[in-house]
Amino acid sequence: MTARSLTRLIRPKSIAVFGGKEARRVIEQCDKMGFTGDIWPVHPRENEIFGRRCYRSVAELPAAPDASFVGVNRQLSIEIIRDLSARGAGGAICYASGFREAVSELADGNDLQDALVAAAGRMPVVGPNCYGFINALDGALLWPDQHGMQRIDKGVAVLTQSSNIACNISMQRRGLPLAYIMTAGNQAQTGLSELAIAALEDPRVTAVGLHIEGFDSIEALQRLATRARELKKPVVTLKVGKSEQAQLATVSHTASLAGNDVVSGALLERLGIGRVDTLPELLETLKLLHLHPPLKNLDISSMSCSGGEASLMADAGVRRKTVFRALKNEQHQPLRESLGEMVTIANPLDYHTFVWGNLEKQTTAFSAMMKGDYALNLIVLDFPRQDRCDAADWNTTCEAVIASAKATGAVAGIVASLGENMPEDTALSLMAAGVVPFSGIDEALAAAEISAGIGTAWATAAPAPLLSAPPSDGEIVTISENEAKAELAKFGLVVPMGKVAITAAEAADAAETLGFPVVLKGLGVAHKTEAGAVKLNLPDRQSVLEAADAMKNVATGYLVEKMIEKPVAEIIIGALRDPVAGLVLTIGAGGILVELLDDSVILTLPTTPEAIAEAISGLKIRKLLDGYRGGPKGDVAALVAAVAAVASYVVSNAAQLEELDINPIMVLPQGSGTVAADALIRRRK
């Protein structure tokens, strides 16, 4: 099915409104924002509303409306939506609640939502349980409430499932130009991603922010990421909540590592979509992306007239990936000449107050810093209260920053360490001059980090489509460790030499054939160490017999393997079926350190050797692999190959595989490879 066009709906030239109180508010808000198109009220009894003739039905309307606000009860909403679709309308907002969101209170909620979608047919419908949207570019509001927006020529779009959060964002005083505010409600037919694509297609929209409670469609999210990359318009998300997921009877360590939120982060990173943690971070990041393309790297500079502020900035940087790169040699002399001998030339830089209020000297100093080829240049500046103080010198600093950015072509921002110390008028004037007015140090660094992350993603080839393999319907079974290793070995994973035995005597015979020392494991046990079903370094036949006897009550048989030499590090590789992203891969510190170190990373599939190597480089245990405190280096190349082999197995068996756990992979000294010491596979028959 081809995608529905939402252009008529979100950029209407005619609006029909159905209902009473809420419908009147929609007309009122359109009038306040200067909407110049047609507005057609529909009401069964009223003759006119705000000087406009009232119509009695969809059939009476002068033409098929581009957009309709349906603010009536849930049963009648379905009838009106059906009539609008038949008339060829451009789309509708369904305001009524009592659908799938209320299924615990209303038994017919699911059925009514299905009926609503069926009634809409190919006509776009947003909701139900939806406030609608504000188009501040054209003054078109299908919005039954107050808001804080005003007409603009260009800006960002912010979309959310929550109407109240949309209201809150509309009231921001941070200087962020809001082109669209959109809500999606239940996303019964049209989801946030579809709405976001429609907003991106508007040439007046510069970037998109999403507040997501649950992904509506992975396919739609991938289309959004692709279109954002094509149009060079960034998308940033605030992902909260938990996706609806089936209960998994997990028996592996992998499940404890791959929390849904972690998977969401890996998914967004793959797609080149930025992710923030708070609403303030979302707004501040959008300000940066509205004014400037994604940053080229993580290098930033900072200047302030206070050592305390410089320390705040430096400490905040510890929590971020951003880098306060050292100044270039050629910057030192110009900074020294403009700031004097008592200033320590560094980054972050405390320029004291020697040049305070001096436009020429401040411009010279700021320009010298901005010539350092930093991706972003920040000046910390908290403004005085406008009702009690004189901000003349602060305004001089703003002028110096604007002049310096213009002269050097650098990306610059002024940061108020306390958000309330950035006056709205100042923020608006800075935005107009191309300087980002950041409210909060942490938020400014978050914006820089996220912007640079998008820039890095866009600088590489677009990712392959996500692995799409719905699980088969068969019963889930756990295969034996020996079978699991044999299957994985076919894909290139190195496993120990081993033999399966039923009795203790057979196990001892197998050990003698393999050669001592050996490992004895009990078959049919998930967590062997906890159950006492694994014995290491058995040196002779008698020790094998005794170990087999000790675990006979928990094991269905035995696996005898050659003992592996002492590794540099132990790694876990796992796969788990996430209800949203499908099968994902986990890499982390393995052995007994899995939960203790909380050191893991998620890879969405399919993946590449380059992505695997980058993921491994971000693990804490990488220090061991690099030869910690004079120890031997691990065979990282072999580890990358091992992960790639597992990823290939997972992709090839995607329909049947439910869970995979290889713990540990023994990473041997450089040049010696890796060996999978244990493996568990759960799959459908």
Side-chain angles (χ1 to χ4, degrees):
M1 182 182 291
T2 56
R4 290 175 290 267
S5 173
L6 302 179
T7 302
R8 286 178 66 195
L9 173 61
I10 69 169
R11 299 174 62 179
K13 292 181 172 58
S14 59
I15 298 173
V17 292
F18 298 79
K21 179 176 61 176
E22 287 79 15
R24 295 178 70 90
R25 288 175 180 166
V26 169
I27 299 172
E28 185 180 30
Q29 294 302 329
C30 283
D31 286 344
K32 282 185 176 181
M33 286 277 269
F35 178 64
T36 57
D38 295 318
I39 300 178
W40 301 323
V42 181
H43 195 279
R45 294 177 301 277
E46 297 285 350
N47 292 322
E48 72 171 40
I49 296 178
F50 293 131
R52 293 176 175 86
R53 172 193 168 185
C54 277
Y55 299 87
R56 296 290 180 250
S57 66
V58 172
E60 275 194 22
L61 292 174
D66 290 330
S68 299
F69 182 88
V70 182
V72 298
N73 69 60
R74 57 194 189 128
Q75 297 284 357
L76 186 55
S77 292
I78 295 173
E79 296 178 25
I80 292 172
I81 294 292
R82 184 180 294 111
D83 292 343
L84 286 168
S85 179
R87 184 82 191 268
I93 301 298
C94 184
Y95 176 77
S97 57
F99 292 84
R100 188 157 290 153
E101 87 287 349
V103 71
S104 59
E105 294 85 21
L106 299 171
D108 61 350
N110 276 328
D111 292 339
L112 279 181
Q113 184 152 313
D114 291 339
L116 177 73
V117 173
R122 291 290 299 158
M123 182 189 76
V125 60
V126 182
N129 186 35
C130 175
Y131 240 47
F133 67 84
I134 301 170
N135 172 349
L137 300 165
D138 304 304
L141 292 87
L142 276 73
W143 189 261
D145 204 348
Q146 299 182 86
H147 60 89
M149 294 168 62
Q150 59 185 0
R151 291 289 290 267
I152 60 170
D153 296 324
K154 183 173 73 171
V156 304
V158 179
L159 301 91
T160 173
Q161 287 172 259
S162 168
S163 302
N164 204 53
I165 286 179
C167 287
N168 295 344
I169 292 173
S170 83
M171 304 295 177
Q172 60 86 30
R173 300 182 181 183
R174 296 165 176 258
L176 176 65
L178 292 169
Y180 288 96
I181 286 282
M182 296 181 172
T183 62
N186 291 10
Q187 304 187 84
Q189 180 219 59
T190 303
L192 280 177
S193 296
E194 279 188 83
L195 286 167
I197 292 171
L200 279 178
E201 299 284 355
D202 191 323
R204 300 165 294 178
V205 170
T206 54
V208 166
L210 301 176
H211 168 258
I212 301 176
E213 296 173 26
F215 295 119
D216 56 317
S217 161
I218 290 300
E219 292 75 18
L221 190 68
Q222 290 184 95
R223 289 196 300 272
L224 171 60
T226 299
R227 195 66 183 126
R229 182 188 285 253
E230 291 169 350
L231 294 172
K232 299 300 180 188
K233 295 183 179 183
V235 177
V236 183
T237 64
L238 171 57
K239 172 67 175 68
V240 297
K242 300 291 182 182
S243 299
E244 184 179 344
Q245 56 182 328
Q247 293 299 312
L248 297 173
T250 53
V251 296
S252 76
H253 288 290
T254 299
S256 66
L257 299 181
N260 180 266
D261 188 63
V262 179
V263 175
S264 296
L267 173 62
L268 293 169
E269 183 177 1
R270 176 191 185 94
L271 296 177
I273 295 176
R275 187 181 188 188
V276 298
D277 294 323
T278 66
L279 279 175
E281 285 183 4
L282 178 65
L283 300 183
E284 298 305 310
T285 302
L286 287 172
K287 281 197 281 191
L288 175 59
L289 294 172
H290 168 71
L291 287 178
H292 301 286
L295 300 181
K296 58 187 178 182
N297 56 50
L298 290 160
D299 292 350
I300 64 173
S301 73
S302 172
M303 299 180 74
S304 64
C305 66
S306 160
E309 291 170 342
S311 296
L312 285 174
M313 184 66 78
D315 286 351
V318 173
R319 302 187 290 273
R320 292 288 174 184
K321 296 177 183 178
T322 46
V323 178
F324 291 109
R325 195 200 70 225
L327 283 79
K328 295 181 177 181
N329 291 335
E330 57 267 28
Q331 291 179 273
H332 284 255
Q333 188 60 30
L335 284 167
R336 174 68 62 214
E337 290 176 355
S338 59
L339 298 177
E341 294 297 324
M342 296 182 63
V343 172
T344 300
I345 305 302
N347 183 26
L349 190 151
D350 166 19
Y351 63 82
H352 296 217
T353 55
F354 302 122
V355 296
W356 183 248
N358 188 317
L359 177 61
E360 182 180 352
K361 288 190 174 181
Q362 281 191 323
T363 302
T364 301
F366 296 158
S367 296
M369 181 64 88
M370 293 182 194
K371 288 178 180 177
D373 196 31
Y374 293 98
L376 177 63
N377 301 269
L378 300 176
I379 289 82
V380 182
L381 189 68
D382 281 59
F383 292 81
R385 289 182 61 122
Q386 292 178 311
D387 57 342
R388 301 176 184 173
C389 306
D390 181 3
D393 286 344
W394 284 259
N395 294 332
T396 297
T397 302
C398 290
E399 292 174 21
V401 173
I402 292 169
S404 300
K406 185 176 181 179
T408 61
V411 179
I414 291 180
V415 186
S417 64
L418 298 176
E420 63 268 26
N421 290 349
M422 174 63 71
E424 184 177 18
D425 288 346
T426 301
L428 290 169
S429 65
L430 288 171
M431 290 288 285
V435 172
V436 189
F438 288 113
S439 297
I441 289 174
D442 287 334
E443 288 79 4
L445 296 188
E449 180 180 313
I450 292 156
S451 177
I454 296 172
T456 299
W458 285 2
T460 58
L466 278 169
L467 176 63
S468 178
S472 61
D473 296 328
E475 175 191 356
I476 298 176
V477 297
T478 302
I479 67 174
S480 71
E481 178 183 344
N482 191 54
E483 291 175 296
K485 285 180 173 175
E487 289 197 4
L488 290 163
K490 293 176 184 177
F491 285 81
L493 188 69
V494 179
V495 300
M497 294 176 59
K499 291 180 177 293
V500 173
I502 303 301
T503 66
E506 290 176 356
D509 291 343
E512 289 182 330
T513 301
L514 291 170
F516 296 101
V518 297
V519 178
L520 184 69
K521 300 177 181 179
L523 294 176
V525 184
H527 295 303
K528 297 179 180 64
T529 301
E530 292 88 334
V534 57
K535 298 294 182 182
L536 306 176
N537 254 327
L538 300 177
D540 50 42
R541 181 182 182 88
Q542 185 59 34
S543 61
V544 173
L545 291 170
E546 292 173 359
D549 184 66
M551 64 180 74
K552 65 182 179 182
N553 292 329
V554 296
T556 58
Y558 305 99
L559 176 61
V560 187
E561 293 179 332
K562 280 287 292 181
M563 188 70 191
I564 304 168
E565 65 177 281
K566 183 179 179 181
V568 174
E570 297 183 8
I571 300 292
I572 181 174
I573 306 175
L576 188 70
R577 186 176 293 280
D578 181 81
V580 173
L583 284 163
V584 296
L585 211 62
T586 304
I587 313 169
I592 62 173
L593 302 177
V594 174
E595 283 89 3
L596 183 62
L597 282 188
D598 187 26
D599 181 27
S600 65
V601 66
I602 297 291
L603 281 173
T604 50
L605 297 172
T607 188
T608 63
E610 293 77 17
I612 293 169
E614 183 178 352
I616 291 170
S617 70
L619 294 171
K620 301 172 190 173
I621 205 167
R622 179 61 194 251
K623 291 182 178 180
L624 282 179
L625 296 173
D626 288 340
Y628 186 63
R629 291 192 173 182
K633 292 184 177 181
D635 198 333
V636 176
L639 176 58
V640 171
V643 177
V646 176
S648 179
Y649 172 83
V650 172
V651 171
S652 299
N653 294 272
Q656 289 76 41
L657 187 65
E658 197 66 22
E659 193 174 349
L660 178 148
D661 193 81
I662 304 170
N663 183 33
I665 289 270
M666 302 292 204
V667 183
L668 304 178
Q670 202 165 38
S672 301
T674 63
V675 183
D678 197 1
L680 178 146
I681 292 176
R682 298 175 70 237
R683 66 184 181 196
R684 295 181 184 271
K685 287 185 178 179

